Each structure stands twice: as structure tokens, then as C-alpha cells.
Amino acid sequence: MLALATGNASGVIMSRDPGTLVVGAGLLGVLTAWELLARGQPVTLLEAAPGVGRATSYANGGLLTRAMCDPWNAPGIERQVLGSLFRRNAPLQLRAAALPSLPRWGLKLLRRSTPAWHRYATHASFALADYSLRRTAELSASLSLEFAAATRGTLKIVRRAASAAAAFDLAQFMETLGLRYHWLEANQVIDLEPQLAELRTELAGALYFPDDGCGDAFAFCEQLARTFTDRGGRLLTDCEVLQIRIEHDRTVGVLTQRGLLEAGRVIVAAGNGSTALLRAAGVALPIHPVKGYSLSINCADAAALPQIPVADRAVHGAVIPLGRRLRVVGSAELAGIDLRVRQRTVDGLWRLLASIYPHLAARLDRTTAQAWAGLRPMSADGLPFIGATRVAGLYVNTGHGHMGWTHAAGSAALLADLLLGQRPAIDPRPFDPSRS
């Protein structure tokens, strides 16, 4: 049973409360646990791995972005998925192994790929991203977190003038929501990021988003978890949750391989691991893993690296500087629960890097590169699930897809507001787990 605490030496005042268990210690789980602890709630954070942030949070793209928060289920996504069956290097790949698990999720995704829904979901995602990035900055400053953070903005380069219209359409819509952006001509792009000079003759220009940033999600996760435990939170690693225990239609705790942990509330924030746990508890959420790849490349001279994250519409990838490392991200695979790192895809990331920074790619030491694959928990309608389920005492914070890092701090604060009956800073209805 969870012990009741009334206080601790760290200064966090604990209320008399039956306690909350948070399942999953990635970004969403660590931030959720922190938000509750900071508001005086006794919290235990559970993680199956030996440490925090070891799954999807480990080597993600690192972007903290309002500008790229539009859901992937845009009109026309069915053409991308079907086209991947005939294009070996398509940015979105459908693998045969995923087919048995796709029909219900895939059909809902297609139903939610209309222009009207995409605009609605983009609006909701932007509101959450804007709130979340402000919350991330507040936490970083107040807790002195060091995670290779940079706030120089991001560039979305456009290689052909004919492609500029599509890039502008989304930016102009998001401008009505509060997004700031500037169109830069090729020479202005190179003034901002001199290392793009080799692309001068290929660039039509770029959209520059000055309020975006980047940072190392894993470093953030580790440091916040350390602060959480230093200030009285309880973290149990190597503690796999086997079942959510429900009695008389109310959550009473979880069964782990160490035994039963009792609590008045359980929050499931376990990414792709959330679905099976919740399904067994009678809560079905349409979430499917979408595999993404990254390369993290060390560089002895950080000054030699680009200073601004660059996304390239032409190759559906991005290159992000993180301190003394360069992270290259791209590719999305519908492959089920498959964490194999395919060399063909890794080679594609090197080509992506060379297509943006040819000289830099040629002189980086490839032996320092760490290739990684992670599974984004993608909801069928493009929005995460944040809030109470139909089972009393059972809450969720999952399904964030490619926006997990950007949305994490805001999602945690939103859930804490809902759980404690406080007025949320943004409208929670688009993220309601009971939505149809």
C-alpha cells in the first residue's frame, strides 16, 4: 500500500490523499508526476525499464515547435500510405507485419483526414503546443534544467518555388491561431544559417519560425526525474505494471511483478504500452505505433555545427543541433511493435543530411553516430488523450504521436488541473479520452 505522507524536508507540502500512481516514466509520465507533486499530491512513478526516458523519449527529433504541430492525418494521407507500397524510399512506409493491427485504427484515421477535421485538430494541437512550450520554458528556468536547449527558431526550407504555396497555406492558417513566421529569400536564409550556403542555387527560400526551439528530451527527462525524487516523489524503476486493478467499478491500484500497489488514482502515460493495459481495464483507445528513426552524431567542435534546426519539405526530414551533437530525423513506418534499426533507413538519413549540408556530412566522423528507432504512439484522429476515463480513478495521458516532446509539459499541467478540479488554462475537450 502507498504510504501517506504529510510533509518532507524538501519543502513540498503533501496533502492527506490516498495517492496517485503514474505508469510510465517517459516525458509524459515524468512531467505528469512532477505537476502533481508540485501541487502537493503524493505520487509514485512506475517504469518498467531500468531508468526514465528509455523508450520513445530517448532520441526523438528534439524539436519544440508550434509551427509543425499539425496532425499527420491531413487530407490525402491515404495516397501517401498506398504509394509507399510501390516506393521503396517513401517517407511514410507501410510494412506487411502491421497490416493485421491496422484496419480499425486505419479506418478511423482516414475518416479523420477531412479538411474540416484537420483544421480543427490543428487548432487544438496549436493551442496545446503554445501552452506547453511556455510551461516548458517556465520549468527550465525555475528548476535550472540543462538539456542543450536553444531558442533560435526553426527553418522550413523550400527548394522549388512551386512548392512554396503549400508551405504558405498551412502557415497562413496557423498565423490566425497565433503563429509567427517570416518568408526568407535564399540570401536571407543563408544570412541566418551560413552553413546552408552550399544550397544557394537550390533554394527558393524558407519559412522561418522565430518562436520555435529544440532540446534534448532525454536529458530533460532525467533531470526532472532527479528533481522529482529529490523533492519527495517516489520513483520505482524495473517495475513493470501487469494489470490495473479495479474493484466495484473503481480503480484501486496496479499489479506489478513486485506485487500490488494500492492507490486512489492511476494515470497511464506509458506511450504504446498504454493500450494493452487500458484495454484490459475496459478502456479502448485508438492508438497505433508509428516508427521513427534518428541519427545522433557527435562533433568535437560545436561551433562547426549549424545553429538552427532545419526541416526540408522535399525529403520529409530535419537536422537539429543539440549542443555538441547533430540529430538527423526522418522516416515514418507503420510496422507494428518493431524496433529493429534497418540499415537501409539509416543510410537514407545520411543521404538526407548530405542533401542539406553536403560538406558537413562528408567530414563528420560516422563512427560516432548512434542510430536509433522509436515508436510514436499515434492516435487515429491526430490528437492525444488527456483526462479521465469512464472508470473512476483511472486517467490517461498518451497518444501524442510526433508531438510528444512539444506537448508534454502542457499535457501534464492540463491533466493535473482536470484531476484536481482546477480550471484548465486551455480547452480540454479536444483531448477528452471519451471522444468518438
Side-chain angles (χ1 to χ4, degrees):
M1 180 177 290
L2 293 182
L4 295 179
T6 57
N8 58 66
S10 69
V12 174
I13 305 300
M14 308 299 285
S15 63
R16 296 293 296 181
D17 186 280
T20 301
L21 294 171
V22 178
V23 182
L27 280 165
L28 274 302
V30 171
L31 275 156
T32 299
W34 168 258
E35 280 288 347
L36 291 172
L37 181 74
R39 301 182 196 204
Q41 304 300 308
V43 187
T44 297
L45 179 58
L46 307 176
E47 172 55 48
V52 303
R54 302 297 176 89
T56 307
S57 301
Y58 182 71
N60 66 17
L63 287 173
L64 292 162
T65 173
R66 295 167 176 85
M68 303 177 208
C69 69
D70 51 305
W72 283 2
N73 53 326
I77 191 172
E78 69 279 3
R79 293 193 298 273
Q80 294 183 45
V81 174
L82 293 175
S84 74
L85 297 174
F86 308 101
R87 290 177 55 202
R88 185 172 180 177
N89 294 317
L92 177 60
Q93 289 281 336
L94 174 60
R95 305 291 183 194
L99 290 174
S101 63
L102 274 178
R104 296 183 70 178
W105 178 87
L107 287 173
K108 184 160 189 176
L109 179 141
L110 294 178
R111 286 198 302 269
R112 291 301 197 187
S113 63
T114 64
W117 178 265
H118 191 255
R119 288 172 73 87
Y120 169 81
T122 299
H123 191 166
S125 181
F126 181 87
L128 181 56
D130 183 60
Y131 172 52
S132 188
L133 294 187
R134 286 186 277 113
R135 183 67 185 137
T136 303
E138 291 168 2
L139 283 172
S140 174
S142 64
L143 301 177
S144 300
L145 303 178
E146 297 289 338
F147 54 101
T151 55
R152 301 181 184 94
T154 60
L155 280 167
K156 184 181 286 188
I157 62 175
V158 178
R159 293 180 186 257
R160 298 188 307 274
S163 302
F168 266 117
D169 285 346
L170 180 61
Q172 287 172 339
F173 167 62
M174 293 177 69
E175 186 179 31
T176 67
L177 309 179
L179 177 70
R180 292 200 306 146
Y181 77 95
H182 308 290
W183 171 257
L184 304 182
E185 301 293 340
N187 286 340
Q188 294 173 302
V189 174
I190 293 162
D191 287 343
L192 188 63
E193 179 48 79
Q195 294 226 33
L196 290 170
E198 293 172 280
L199 296 189
R200 186 185 302 271
T201 60
E202 298 181 32
L203 284 178
L207 289 169
Y208 173 54
F209 306 103
D211 298 325
D212 280 358
C214 59
D216 186 331
F218 176 61
F220 180 95
C221 204
E222 282 203 313
Q223 290 191 39
L224 186 58
R226 193 174 303 120
T227 303
F228 170 75
T229 56
D230 287 347
R231 301 197 183 184
R234 185 183 182 200
L235 170 63
L236 299 179
T237 56
D238 288 311
C239 185
E240 181 182 2
V241 173
L242 306 175
Q243 184 185 50
I244 299 166
R245 296 298 296 269
I246 298 170
E247 294 179 4
H248 308 296
D249 298 321
R250 170 168 286 277
T251 307
V252 297
V254 299
L255 179 64
T256 77
Q257 85 273 26
R258 299 186 186 185
L260 177 66
L261 289 173
E262 295 181 344
R265 295 181 293 247
V266 173
I267 300 170
V268 180
N272 291 291
S274 303
T275 50
L277 279 175
L278 291 166
R279 190 182 305 114
V283 177
L285 296 182
I287 295 173
H288 196 278
V290 178
K291 186 176 179 180
Y293 285 80
S294 74
L295 272 177
S296 299
I297 310 161
N298 292 331
C299 183
D301 181 10
L305 294 178
Q307 298 302 301
I308 296 176
V310 171
D312 188 345
R313 285 177 54 86
V315 294
H316 297 274
V319 180
I320 302 98
L322 294 173
R324 291 185 174 274
R325 288 174 299 154
L326 202 62
R327 184 156 293 165
V328 186
V329 295
S331 181
E333 292 182 10
L334 295 168
I337 303 297
D338 177 8
L339 284 168
R340 289 176 295 171
V341 176
R342 297 173 182 268
Q343 187 59 45
R344 186 175 72 200
T345 307
V346 174
D347 292 342
L349 291 180
W350 281 108
R351 289 193 299 272
L352 186 158
L353 176 61
S355 75
I356 299 175
Y357 298 112
H359 182 66
L360 179 63
R363 61 190 176 87
L364 285 172
D365 182 359
R366 291 198 175 201
T367 65
T368 70
Q370 179 187 29
W372 175 86
L375 302 175
R376 311 172 184 98
M378 189 74 70
S379 72
D381 66 7
L383 293 173
F385 298 99
I386 306 166
T389 72
R390 65 177 187 80
V391 179
L394 180 59
Y395 298 78
V396 296
N397 195 357
T398 190
H400 293 73
H402 69 297
M403 291 300 293
W405 184 198
T406 292
H407 280 163
S411 298
L414 177 59
L415 180 56
D417 287 337
L418 295 171
L419 186 147
L420 298 175
Q422 298 170 359
R423 183 176 181 178
I426 64 171
D427 185 358
R429 289 174 295 181
F431 317 108
D432 189 333
S434 65
R435 67 185 186 265
S436 59

Short mmCIF file of all heavy atoms in Angstrom, two decimals, residues 231-268:
data_model
loop_
_atom_site.label_atom_id
_atom_site.label_comp_id
_atom_site.label_asym_id
_atom_site.label_seq_id
_atom_site.Cartn_x
_atom_site.Cartn_y
_atom_site.Cartn_z
N ARG A 231 12.71 15.99 -4.29
CA ARG A 231 11.70 16.78 -3.59
C ARG A 231 10.55 15.95 -3.04
O ARG A 231 9.48 16.47 -2.72
CB ARG A 231 11.19 17.88 -4.51
CG ARG A 231 12.31 18.81 -4.95
CD ARG A 231 11.84 20.10 -5.50
NE ARG A 231 12.95 20.91 -5.97
CZ ARG A 231 12.84 22.15 -6.44
NH1 ARG A 231 11.65 22.71 -6.51
NH2 ARG A 231 13.90 22.82 -6.86
N GLY A 232 10.79 14.65 -2.94
CA GLY A 232 9.84 13.82 -2.22
C GLY A 232 9.02 12.87 -3.05
O GLY A 232 8.23 12.09 -2.51
N GLY A 233 9.16 12.89 -4.38
CA GLY A 233 8.45 11.94 -5.21
C GLY A 233 9.08 10.56 -5.12
O GLY A 233 10.26 10.41 -4.82
N ARG A 234 8.30 9.55 -5.39
CA ARG A 234 8.76 8.16 -5.33
C ARG A 234 8.85 7.61 -6.75
O ARG A 234 7.87 7.65 -7.50
CB ARG A 234 7.80 7.33 -4.50
CG ARG A 234 8.23 5.88 -4.25
CD ARG A 234 7.14 5.16 -3.48
NE ARG A 234 7.49 3.80 -3.15
CZ ARG A 234 6.62 2.86 -2.84
NH1 ARG A 234 5.32 3.14 -2.82
NH2 ARG A 234 7.01 1.63 -2.54
N LEU A 235 10.01 7.11 -7.14
CA LEU A 235 10.23 6.53 -8.46
C LEU A 235 10.65 5.08 -8.32
O LEU A 235 11.64 4.77 -7.63
CB LEU A 235 11.32 7.32 -9.20
CG LEU A 235 11.85 6.72 -10.51
CD1 LEU A 235 10.75 6.62 -11.56
CD2 LEU A 235 13.03 7.53 -11.04
N LEU A 236 9.90 4.18 -8.96
CA LEU A 236 10.24 2.76 -8.97
C LEU A 236 10.55 2.35 -10.40
O LEU A 236 9.65 2.34 -11.26
CB LEU A 236 9.08 1.92 -8.43
CG LEU A 236 8.63 2.19 -6.99
CD1 LEU A 236 7.46 1.29 -6.62
CD2 LEU A 236 9.79 1.98 -6.01
N THR A 237 11.82 2.04 -10.68
CA THR A 237 12.20 1.54 -12.00
C THR A 237 12.29 0.01 -11.94
O THR A 237 12.20 -0.59 -10.87
CB THR A 237 13.53 2.14 -12.44
OG1 THR A 237 14.53 1.87 -11.45
CG2 THR A 237 13.41 3.65 -12.63
N ASP A 238 12.49 -0.61 -13.10
CA ASP A 238 12.43 -2.08 -13.18
C ASP A 238 11.15 -2.59 -12.54
O ASP A 238 11.14 -3.62 -11.85
CB ASP A 238 13.65 -2.72 -12.50
CG ASP A 238 14.92 -2.53 -13.31
OD1 ASP A 238 14.89 -2.81 -14.52
OD2 ASP A 238 15.93 -2.10 -12.73
N CYS A 239 10.07 -1.87 -12.77
CA CYS A 239 8.80 -2.20 -12.12
C CYS A 239 7.71 -2.22 -13.19
O CYS A 239 7.05 -1.20 -13.45
CB CYS A 239 8.48 -1.18 -11.03
SG CYS A 239 7.01 -1.57 -10.06
N GLU A 240 7.54 -3.36 -13.81
CA GLU A 240 6.56 -3.48 -14.88
C GLU A 240 5.15 -3.62 -14.31
O GLU A 240 4.90 -4.44 -13.43
CB GLU A 240 6.87 -4.69 -15.75
CG GLU A 240 5.91 -4.86 -16.92
CD GLU A 240 6.22 -6.09 -17.75
OE1 GLU A 240 7.16 -6.83 -17.40
OE2 GLU A 240 5.49 -6.32 -18.73
N VAL A 241 4.23 -2.83 -14.84
CA VAL A 241 2.82 -2.93 -14.43
C VAL A 241 2.15 -3.99 -15.29
O VAL A 241 2.15 -3.92 -16.52
CB VAL A 241 2.12 -1.58 -14.59
CG1 VAL A 241 0.62 -1.72 -14.32
CG2 VAL A 241 2.72 -0.56 -13.64
N LEU A 242 1.58 -4.98 -14.64
CA LEU A 242 0.95 -6.10 -15.33
C LEU A 242 -0.55 -5.91 -15.52
O LEU A 242 -1.13 -6.40 -16.49
CB LEU A 242 1.19 -7.40 -14.54
CG LEU A 242 2.66 -7.73 -14.22
CD1 LEU A 242 2.73 -8.97 -13.34
CD2 LEU A 242 3.46 -7.92 -15.50
N GLN A 243 -1.16 -5.16 -14.61
CA GLN A 243 -2.62 -5.03 -14.65
C GLN A 243 -3.05 -3.84 -13.81
O GLN A 243 -2.45 -3.54 -12.77
CB GLN A 243 -3.26 -6.31 -14.09
CG GLN A 243 -4.77 -6.33 -14.17
CD GLN A 243 -5.34 -7.57 -13.48
OE1 GLN A 243 -4.99 -7.87 -12.34
NE2 GLN A 243 -6.21 -8.29 -14.17
N ILE A 244 -4.07 -3.16 -14.28
CA ILE A 244 -4.73 -2.13 -13.48
C ILE A 244 -5.83 -2.82 -12.67
O ILE A 244 -6.66 -3.52 -13.24
CB ILE A 244 -5.32 -1.03 -14.37
CG1 ILE A 244 -4.21 -0.35 -15.18
CG2 ILE A 244 -6.08 0.00 -13.54
CD1 ILE A 244 -4.72 0.49 -16.32
N ARG A 245 -5.82 -2.65 -11.36
CA ARG A 245 -6.78 -3.32 -10.51
C ARG A 245 -8.01 -2.45 -10.32
O ARG A 245 -7.91 -1.28 -9.95
CB ARG A 245 -6.16 -3.65 -9.15
CG ARG A 245 -5.01 -4.63 -9.22
CD ARG A 245 -5.44 -5.98 -9.77
NE ARG A 245 -6.39 -6.65 -8.92
CZ ARG A 245 -6.06 -7.48 -7.94
NH1 ARG A 245 -4.77 -7.78 -7.72
NH2 ARG A 245 -6.98 -8.06 -7.21
N ILE A 246 -9.18 -3.04 -10.57
CA ILE A 246 -10.45 -2.33 -10.46
C ILE A 246 -11.39 -3.15 -9.59
O ILE A 246 -11.54 -4.36 -9.80
CB ILE A 246 -11.07 -2.10 -11.86
CG1 ILE A 246 -10.13 -1.23 -12.70
CG2 ILE A 246 -12.45 -1.44 -11.75
CD1 ILE A 246 -10.54 -1.15 -14.15
N GLU A 247 -11.98 -2.50 -8.62
CA GLU A 247 -12.96 -3.15 -7.75
C GLU A 247 -14.20 -2.27 -7.66
O GLU A 247 -14.09 -1.07 -7.40
CB GLU A 247 -12.37 -3.37 -6.35
CG GLU A 247 -11.21 -4.36 -6.33
CD GLU A 247 -10.63 -4.56 -4.95
OE1 GLU A 247 -11.19 -3.97 -3.98
OE2 GLU A 247 -9.62 -5.27 -4.82
N HIS A 248 -15.36 -2.89 -7.89
CA HIS A 248 -16.63 -2.15 -7.82
C HIS A 248 -16.59 -0.91 -8.70
O HIS A 248 -17.01 0.18 -8.30
CB HIS A 248 -16.96 -1.78 -6.36
CG HIS A 248 -16.91 -2.94 -5.42
ND1 HIS A 248 -17.77 -4.01 -5.52
CD2 HIS A 248 -16.07 -3.21 -4.37
CE1 HIS A 248 -17.49 -4.88 -4.57
NE2 HIS A 248 -16.46 -4.42 -3.87
N ASP A 249 -16.07 -1.10 -9.92
CA ASP A 249 -16.02 -0.04 -10.93
C ASP A 249 -15.13 1.14 -10.54
O ASP A 249 -15.29 2.24 -11.08
CB ASP A 249 -17.42 0.48 -11.27
CG ASP A 249 -18.30 -0.61 -11.86
OD1 ASP A 249 -17.78 -1.40 -12.66
OD2 ASP A 249 -19.50 -0.66 -11.51
N ARG A 250 -14.20 0.91 -9.64
CA ARG A 250 -13.27 1.98 -9.23
C ARG A 250 -11.84 1.44 -9.22
O ARG A 250 -11.59 0.31 -8.80
CB ARG A 250 -13.63 2.53 -7.85
CG ARG A 250 -12.57 3.46 -7.26
CD ARG A 250 -13.05 4.21 -6.07
NE ARG A 250 -13.98 5.27 -6.47
CZ ARG A 250 -13.59 6.46 -6.90
NH1 ARG A 250 -12.31 6.74 -7.03
NH2 ARG A 250 -14.48 7.36 -7.24
N THR A 251 -10.92 2.27 -9.69
CA THR A 251 -9.50 1.90 -9.70
C THR A 251 -8.96 1.88 -8.28
O THR A 251 -9.15 2.83 -7.52
CB THR A 251 -8.70 2.92 -10.54
OG1 THR A 251 -9.31 3.04 -11.82
CG2 THR A 251 -7.27 2.47 -10.69
N VAL A 252 -8.27 0.80 -7.94
CA VAL A 252 -7.73 0.68 -6.58
C VAL A 252 -6.22 0.52 -6.58
O VAL A 252 -5.60 0.46 -5.51
CB VAL A 252 -8.38 -0.49 -5.82
CG1 VAL A 252 -9.88 -0.24 -5.63
CG2 VAL A 252 -8.13 -1.82 -6.51
N GLY A 253 -5.59 0.43 -7.75
CA GLY A 253 -4.14 0.29 -7.79
C GLY A 253 -3.70 -0.48 -9.01
O GLY A 253 -4.44 -0.60 -10.00
N VAL A 254 -2.47 -0.99 -8.96
CA VAL A 254 -1.93 -1.77 -10.07
C VAL A 254 -1.22 -2.99 -9.52
O VAL A 254 -0.67 -2.98 -8.42
CB VAL A 254 -0.95 -0.94 -10.94
CG1 VAL A 254 -1.64 0.26 -11.56
CG2 VAL A 254 0.29 -0.52 -10.15
N LEU A 255 -1.22 -4.03 -10.34
CA LEU A 255 -0.45 -5.23 -10.03
C LEU A 255 0.86 -5.16 -10.82
O LEU A 255 0.85 -4.99 -12.04
CB LEU A 255 -1.22 -6.48 -10.42
CG LEU A 255 -0.52 -7.83 -10.17
CD1 LEU A 255 -0.29 -8.04 -8.67
CD2 LEU A 255 -1.32 -8.97 -10.77
N THR A 256 1.98 -5.26 -10.13
CA THR A 256 3.30 -5.27 -10.77
C THR A 256 3.97 -6.60 -10.50
O THR A 256 3.47 -7.42 -9.72
CB THR A 256 4.19 -4.13 -10.22
OG1 THR A 256 4.69 -4.50 -8.93
CG2 THR A 256 3.42 -2.83 -10.13
N GLN A 257 5.12 -6.81 -11.14
CA GLN A 257 5.82 -8.06 -10.87
C GLN A 257 6.40 -8.08 -9.46
O GLN A 257 6.82 -9.13 -8.96
CB GLN A 257 6.93 -8.31 -11.91
CG GLN A 257 8.27 -7.65 -11.65
CD GLN A 257 8.33 -6.23 -12.18
OE1 GLN A 257 7.32 -5.56 -12.32
NE2 GLN A 257 9.54 -5.78 -12.48
N ARG A 258 6.37 -6.93 -8.78
CA ARG A 258 6.81 -6.88 -7.39
C ARG A 258 5.65 -7.09 -6.42
O ARG A 258 5.87 -7.21 -5.21
CB ARG A 258 7.44 -5.52 -7.08
CG ARG A 258 8.67 -5.19 -7.91
CD ARG A 258 9.28 -3.90 -7.40
NE ARG A 258 10.37 -3.45 -8.24
CZ ARG A 258 11.13 -2.39 -7.95
NH1 ARG A 258 10.90 -1.70 -6.84
NH2 ARG A 258 12.10 -2.03 -8.76
N GLY A 259 4.43 -7.04 -6.94
CA GLY A 259 3.26 -7.18 -6.08
C GLY A 259 2.26 -6.08 -6.36
O GLY A 259 2.35 -5.35 -7.35
N LEU A 260 1.29 -5.95 -5.47
CA LEU A 260 0.21 -4.99 -5.64
C LEU A 260 0.58 -3.65 -5.02
O LEU A 260 1.06 -3.57 -3.89
CB LEU A 260 -1.07 -5.53 -4.96
CG LEU A 260 -2.29 -4.60 -4.99
CD1 LEU A 260 -2.78 -4.41 -6.43
CD2 LEU A 260 -3.40 -5.17 -4.11
N LEU A 261 0.36 -2.59 -5.78
CA LEU A 261 0.49 -1.23 -5.27
C LEU A 261 -0.91 -0.61 -5.26
O LEU A 261 -1.55 -0.53 -6.31
CB LEU A 261 1.42 -0.40 -6.14
CG LEU A 261 2.91 -0.72 -6.09
CD1 LEU A 261 3.66 0.08 -7.13
CD2 LEU A 261 3.47 -0.43 -4.69
N GLU A 262 -1.37 -0.20 -4.10
CA GLU A 262 -2.70 0.38 -3.98
C GLU A 262 -2.61 1.90 -4.08
O GLU A 262 -1.65 2.52 -3.63
CB GLU A 262 -3.34 -0.02 -2.66
CG GLU A 262 -3.60 -1.52 -2.55
CD GLU A 262 -4.26 -1.89 -1.25
OE1 GLU A 262 -4.25 -1.07 -0.31
OE2 GLU A 262 -4.79 -3.01 -1.16
N ALA A 263 -3.64 2.49 -4.69
CA ALA A 263 -3.69 3.94 -4.82
C ALA A 263 -5.11 4.36 -5.15
O ALA A 263 -5.90 3.58 -5.71
CB ALA A 263 -2.74 4.42 -5.91
N GLY A 264 -5.42 5.60 -4.84
CA GLY A 264 -6.75 6.11 -5.14
C GLY A 264 -6.93 6.49 -6.59
O GLY A 264 -8.05 6.54 -7.09
N ARG A 265 -5.80 6.76 -7.29
CA ARG A 265 -5.85 7.16 -8.70
C ARG A 265 -4.68 6.51 -9.43
O ARG A 265 -3.58 6.39 -8.89
CB ARG A 265 -5.76 8.68 -8.85
CG ARG A 265 -6.95 9.42 -8.27
CD ARG A 265 -6.80 10.92 -8.47
NE ARG A 265 -5.70 11.45 -7.70
CZ ARG A 265 -5.84 12.30 -6.67
NH1 ARG A 265 -7.04 12.68 -6.30
NH2 ARG A 265 -4.79 12.78 -6.04
N VAL A 266 -4.93 6.17 -10.69
CA VAL A 266 -3.88 5.65 -11.57
C VAL A 266 -3.92 6.46 -12.86
O VAL A 266 -4.99 6.65 -13.46
CB VAL A 266 -4.08 4.16 -11.88
CG1 VAL A 266 -3.08 3.68 -12.95
CG2 VAL A 266 -3.92 3.32 -10.61
N ILE A 267 -2.75 6.95 -13.29
CA ILE A 267 -2.61 7.67 -14.55
C ILE A 267 -1.73 6.83 -15.46
O ILE A 267 -0.60 6.50 -15.11
CB ILE A 267 -1.98 9.04 -14.35
CG1 ILE A 267 -2.83 9.91 -13.42
CG2 ILE A 267 -1.78 9.75 -15.70
CD1 ILE A 267 -2.15 11.19 -12.99
N VAL A 268 -2.25 6.47 -16.62
CA VAL A 268 -1.48 5.69 -17.58
C VAL A 268 -0.86 6.64 -18.61
O VAL A 268 -1.58 7.30 -19.36
CB VAL A 268 -2.35 4.63 -18.27
CG1 VAL A 268 -1.53 3.83 -19.27
CG2 VAL A 268 -2.96 3.69 -17.22
#
